[in-house]
Amino acid sequence: MKYMKLGSKPDVFQTEGNNIRFVATELATDIVIIVGEVKFYLHKFPLLSKSSRLQTLVASTNEESNDEIDISDIPGGPAAFEICAKFCYGMIVTLNAYNVLAARCAAEYLEMFETIDKGNLIYKIDVFLSSSIFRTWKDSIIVLQTTKSLLPWSENLKVINHCVDSIATKASIDPSEVEWSYTYNRRKLPSENGLDSHWNGVRKQQMVPRDWWVEDLCDLEMCLYKKVIMAIKAKGRISSEVIGEALRAYAHRRLFSSLESAVSNGLDCTRHSAALETIISLLPSEEGSVPCSFLLKLLRASCLLGSDEACRDNLTKRIGAKLDEASVSDLLIPANSDEAAMYNVDMISAMLEEFMAQHREDDDGAKLQEDDDQEAMDGDDDNLNGVSRSSKLAIAKLVDGYLAEIAKDPNLPLSKFIALTEMVPLATRPVHDGLYRAIDMYLKEHPGLTKGEKKRLCGLMDCKKLSPEASMHAVQNERLPLRVVVQVLFFEQVRAASSASAAAAADMPPAARSLLPREQDGNSYGSSRSTATEDDQWAPPPPTTSVDVTSFRSMSLANNKNGGVSGGGGDQAACKKPPPSSASAKGSGGGGLMPKKILSKLWSGKASSGENSSSDTSESPGEETRSTPSRNTRHSVS
């Protein structure tokens, strides 16, 4: 820190009590200066030789025969006046960044100009400011902080503008030219941590990070901080990413650290609201300048503080453009106090809608450029290209994780859960494990769902896209409807049979492999593509070839050897016997893949395990079991 000493005489100012200051000399004092509650007993001659204002005031008091002068409105108060008085006496005074501005404003009030005395206090302080303070990084920040208590004097003297310009200029220079100290306690560069300080025995010069100035500016009040950031932006030398990082650091210091405790304790949040408005107004418009997580924190803060709708809508649109960068925890924004639900699902739906709308436009533009045909609207994975594909895959994973969290809310309506799930295209979910987890969580937290609601909920999931681990969990899950369990079993057997057929075909010589029957698309029946088609979403599809039937008989034999297939929650839908003949397979529904006896046991086992024990059950377990043969006849599997 820079400092300047004025005067050469020893300091003989003394204090008597809390409200009296006097000069310990042989000469009696002849004037009393009142500054607030403090009285200064001084001498007229040294004061009047330096201050034009005191000359005028003393002249007016002589006419009234009163030696007391009240200057309580002097900027800086008693401390600043004492500096000016000591300068008039020629006593030693030390000026630094903390007191120089107060002394400058007090000198201006007392009119201590060069016209009164050469080398007066105003001149000396101005030289100190321009030659030292405004050229020093931290001193400029300290002086700028002191300007708030000295308004409007500091503003009229242009000190604020000088400080702001000095700070903005230093923040905008090339980091390699920074030679002064600065505060940087966040994640440092490897060279600063000493991890990469040597190479071949020669010490490398430490690198200064691009955002070296960010933390020091966090000490500024909001109005001053805004002036500095706007000045830095105006110079145009700092990237929008660094500006965004500066705003993020300031928000954590001034807003996020104390917001929730202030709101929960019912404290006045005016300061927090002002900080939020300032930060949002300073956000760079360039894409990628601020992380999505930071925008979501600002949105959360705006909800807690009850900001206006325009502010929230603006943040929602910005977040929607980069929603794939968010995390599940960032999306858990609390609902309004007047709502029964725990989380604000409508706001997340608006973000997701914005994301899908923007990426739909990107996809349409890419398709027009590449002259893609209309098959791109079918929802296949091939529709997703480049960055858009990875973004949509990320958004599907994010939404599934968010659904699993909000499913724990007992007051979450099923309609909102389904609507949010359906906003994500099917092509963006190559695996439905995350969606299955969310559905299972919703079933667990909402045991009172009707059969129709369960059917609608589970219809969001494609059993073909479950991993083997998820399929095994689903088969043992008592909360799932029985038909979903059967469907999972069916596709697991298709997968196993296809894998076995593909392995067998791979071991065949090329000549024998060419004799395998072909599907219409040219793939052999031994390939990994499924040959099944669904009659409806709740019944597993019948096979189209005899190869599948054989495969399922093989699976049934394997299950018999292994002791059967486990059902949900400890109930066993066991395949105790393989079908005795091909006739029994035909009796299971005319080409069905699983014997009727197996499905009947599975159905009855599922029913007895509590499937129909929900509050909405309208049929007894026995009635459901009796209905099984007719359903097997219609759908041949379920």
Side-chain angles (χ1 to χ4, degrees), residues 96 135 142 170 181 195 235 278 352 404 620 631:
N96 53 45
R135 294 188 178 185
I142 293 171
K170 289 179 174 59
S181 62
L195 302 178
K235 292 188 179 295
T278 299
L352 185 56
S620 66
R631 295 182 181 177

Side-chain angles (χ1 to χ4, degrees), residues 46 97 102 120 126 161 181 195 214 269 306 322 400 426 450 483 506 521 526 528 582 618-619:
N120 213 341
D126 285 346
N161 293 340
S181 62
L195 302 178
V214 165
C269 296
K322 50 170 56 177
D400 289 348
L426 292 176
T450 66
R483 293 192 176 188
D521 60 358
S528 61
S582 59
S618 59
E619 297 178 6

Side-chain angles (χ1 to χ4, degrees), residues 132-204:
S132 297
I133 296 297
F134 295 149
R135 294 188 178 185
T136 307
W137 168 251
K138 289 194 173 182
D139 286 352
S140 297
I141 295 175
I142 293 171
V143 171
L144 184 59
Q145 287 177 291
T146 64
T147 59
K148 185 178 179 181
S149 61
L150 296 168
L151 293 173
W153 290 89
S154 58
E155 190 168 7
N156 295 334
L157 293 174
K158 308 297 182 183
V159 176
I160 294 179
N161 293 340
H162 284 301
C163 288
V164 168
D165 184 68
S166 172
I167 294 169
T169 300
K170 289 179 174 59
S172 300
I173 70 171
D174 191 292
S176 61
E177 299 179 14
V178 175
E179 298 177 348
W180 49 83
S181 62
Y182 55 87
T183 304
Y184 199 84
N185 294 321
R186 295 168 300 126
R187 183 180 300 173
K188 296 186 177 182
L189 297 173
S191 59
E192 291 185 316
N193 289 328
L195 302 178
D196 190 26
S197 58
H198 292 80
W199 180 256
N200 291 335
V202 179
R203 185 173 183 84
K204 299 174 67 176

